Amino acid sequence: MIKVSDLKKEFIQGQERTEVLKGVDLTIEEGEFVAIMGPSGSGKSTLLQLLGGLDVPTAGNIVINQQQLAQMKEKERTIFRRKYIGFIFQNYQLLPTLTVEENVAFPLHADGSLTKEKNQMILELLDSVGLKGLGRKRANLLSGGQQQRVAIARALVNNPAVLLADEPTGNLDRNKAEEILVLMSKFNRENKQTTIMVTHDMFAAGFADRIILFKDGVIDQVIARKDNDYAQYVANFMA
Ligand SMILES: Nc1ncnc2c1ncn2[C@@H]1O[C@H](COP(=O)(O)OP(=O)(O)OP(=O)(O)O)[C@@H](O)[C@H]1O
Ligand SMILES: [Mg+2]
């Protein structure tokens, strides 16, 4: 359902050209939970941005839900993103002065005003991420773990086909991280949302079906959780 072929991205700043993605080929099945790991600066976030239509590749193709993303014009990409993509970031990126409910409702405003049904759906979503009763609280008054739950609810409010998460547990301690990962796995299983998560943390990657090991702008290895010695393999790679 996601097919990336020979994807390249370079950034040009003044005289300097940086080739960040050097030909990425990747197929991800519908409903799969994939982790992307690799050294800092290897291009993981760049790949995620391209998959989410936040930026455009220099060359290559991205097909998501039978749609050619790389060729879309900006307006088309925006519509595509709203319809198919949910994003979660390491630093939550909530609007701090809005309430929890307002943050979750934010993506819905693009399709007009909030209906009774939509408001009900937001309440149910908050309940399902463990934030029942906190909807009227200002987002910046919540703890980190709670803020990331709000971010998950916001990412899921449009029921996107694809959930992209860039180090979603990077700012959280182990217990809070586990709660977030359990939630993400639950939604991945129940909603069949294809989930792609960048992480530096082996514990987090252990929740994924497959781990993509990224190095210098290309995929170095792909390993499945069911492979016997995958933990050791990843540890060696990251060392
Ligand atoms: N908008 C940009 N303009 C210029 N260079 C960029 C831009 N975005 C990223 N880069 C460069 O691309 C390279 C890869 O960055 P990227 O953020 O994708 O790495 P990453 O694998 O996510 O690293 P980290 O693990 O530290 O988050 C870096 O050298 C970075 O400086
Ligand atoms: Mg990054």
Side-chain angles (χ1 to χ4, degrees):
M1 80 118 349
I2 298 180
K3 195 161 168 48
V4 171
S5 17
D6 204 17
L7 194 68
K8 295 182 177 156
K9 177 70 178 175
E10 58 182 36
F11 292 105
I12 297 168
Q13 283 174 313
Q15 301 283 46
E16 221 181 307
R17 232 188 71 204
T18 322
E19 209 183 358
V20 175
L21 300 181
K22 301 174 182 170
V24 175
D25 294 290
L26 176 64
T27 304
I28 298 173
E29 302 302 330
E30 192 172 338
E32 215 184 341
F33 188 161
V34 172
I36 300 177
M37 301 185 87
S40 187
S42 57
K44 305 178 301 292
S45 295
T46 303
L47 176 63
L48 223 56
Q49 302 246 318
L50 296 182
L51 289 175
L54 287 172
D55 199 352
V56 285
T58 309
N61 272 313
I62 304 171
V63 179
I64 298 181
N65 269 8
Q66 275 120 42
Q67 302 199 58
Q68 294 272 0
L69 182 53
Q71 283 77 20
M72 283 181 194
K73 298 217 165 43
E74 187 163 348
K75 200 168 172 194
E76 260 182 296
R77 256 193 301 128
T78 305
I79 294 168
F80 169 88
R81 204 164 54 231
R82 271 193 212 131
K83 197 164 167 197
Y84 294 109
I85 307 288
F87 263 106
I88 308 173
F89 301 93
Q90 176 171 359
N91 57 358
Y92 328 126
Q93 298 210 3
L94 302 179
L95 292 159
T97 59
L98 296 189
T99 67
V100 168
E101 274 171 20
E102 286 164 346
N103 268 282
V104 176
F106 202 76
L108 297 175
H109 290 297
D111 304 320
S113 57
L114 288 183
T115 58
K116 217 172 170 182
E117 288 74 28
K118 284 182 185 171
N119 278 317
Q120 182 56 32
M121 197 250 295
I122 289 167
L123 289 180
E124 284 167 19
L125 202 47
L126 284 177
D127 193 6
S128 70
V129 296
L131 293 176
K132 199 183 173 94
L134 294 179
R136 297 289 161 88
K137 235 184 147 90
R138 256 172 61 170
N140 61 354
L141 298 179
L142 301 184
S143 73
Q146 287 173 324
Q147 290 195 43
Q148 197 59 303
R149 289 161 188 271
V150 179
I152 293 178
R154 179 184 58 186
L156 296 176
V157 76
N158 277 335
N159 196 25
V162 181
L163 183 65
L164 302 174
D166 199 348
E167 304 190 37
T169 59
N171 284 0
L172 303 175
D173 66 36
R174 173 59 75 97
N175 287 338
K176 294 282 174 292
E178 183 167 9
E179 288 170 16
I180 292 298
L181 291 159
V182 166
L183 262 184
M184 287 176 62
S185 317
K186 175 176 110 88
F187 286 117
N188 168 255
R189 274 196 314 275
E190 290 176 2
N191 304 354
K192 305 268 184 296
Q193 244 126 15
T194 307
T195 304
I196 307 175
M197 170 179 71
V198 170
T199 181
H200 281 110
D201 178 12
M202 191 53 222
F203 173 74
F207 283 76
D209 304 315
R210 280 194 300 160
I211 305 177
I212 290 161
L213 299 176
F214 217 75
K215 200 174 175 178
D216 294 332
V218 290
I219 293 175
D220 188 80
Q221 284 283 336
V222 180
I223 35 180
R225 182 168 44 192
K226 56 181 189 293
D227 290 353
N228 284 331
D229 44 0
Y230 94 113
Q232 189 55 48
Y233 194 95
V234 176
N236 290 342
F237 177 85
M238 297 297 284

